[in-house]
Amino acid sequence: MSSSKFSSVDEYLISLGSPKGDTLKGVIDFILKSFPDLDCKLAWNVPQICRGSDYVFGVSALKNHLALAPWSTEVIEAFQKRLEGEGYVVKKNLFQIPSEWKIDEELLSSLVKARLAELG
């Protein structure tokens, strides 16, 4: 969303304002609480959830929506019908959610578990 270089995940989220920053913070907080072995860092100037050096889940804000990316075309393919059935726009590596998304904890948990299983 911005050409600014951010120094932290919090700085990125604050720059988005509400509701985008609040929604992405909620997504990150839920994943980190549910999977305490994961960590969140800034990579490519956007938040990325990692396990060690492996990327598990990325989040970003665009002009008219937010993007969630489980870092796997296979995970996206496995969830494609469900995601499209719930009205999400699905791309090759991510899916789009509205800026004021009511966090679907079961969906997020399932996506993260699928990505972690893929990583082994």
Side-chain angles (χ1 to χ4, degrees):
M1 283 213 31
S2 171
S3 60
S4 299
K5 177 79 171 141
F6 301 106
S7 61
S8 70
V9 171
D10 286 338
E11 186 178 302
Y12 175 84
L13 296 172
I14 289 167
S15 78
L16 300 176
S18 187
K20 290 180 180 181
D22 296 338
T23 300
L24 289 185
K25 181 173 180 7
V27 168
I28 293 166
D29 289 350
F30 171 76
I31 293 172
L32 295 179
K33 180 181 173 194
S34 301
F35 301 89
D37 59 323
L38 302 182
D39 192 22
C40 189
K41 67 180 183 179
L42 206 61
W44 302 283
N45 211 32
V46 294
Q48 301 293 329
I49 295 171
C50 306
R51 182 178 68 189
S53 62
D54 292 321
Y55 291 97
V56 176
F57 209 86
V59 301
S60 61
L62 298 140
K63 184 176 180 181
N64 297 315
H65 61 271
L66 304 173
L68 302 182
W71 274 93
S72 167
T73 55
E74 290 80 10
V75 171
I76 287 290
E77 288 171 6
F79 283 81
Q80 186 164 355
K81 285 184 181 177
R82 177 178 174 186
L83 293 168
E84 289 175 345
E86 294 182 23
Y88 301 116
V89 175
V90 180
K91 304 288 185 180
K92 183 177 180 179
N93 295 317
L94 59 84
F95 65 101
Q96 299 172 357
I97 60 170
S99 298
E100 295 185 52
W101 189 54
K102 182 182 180 309
I103 294 173
D104 184 337
E105 294 179 352
E106 195 278 324
L107 175 62
L108 283 178
S109 184
S110 295
L111 287 163
V112 172
K113 285 177 184 174
R115 176 63 177 145
L116 291 171
E118 184 179 76
L119 290 170

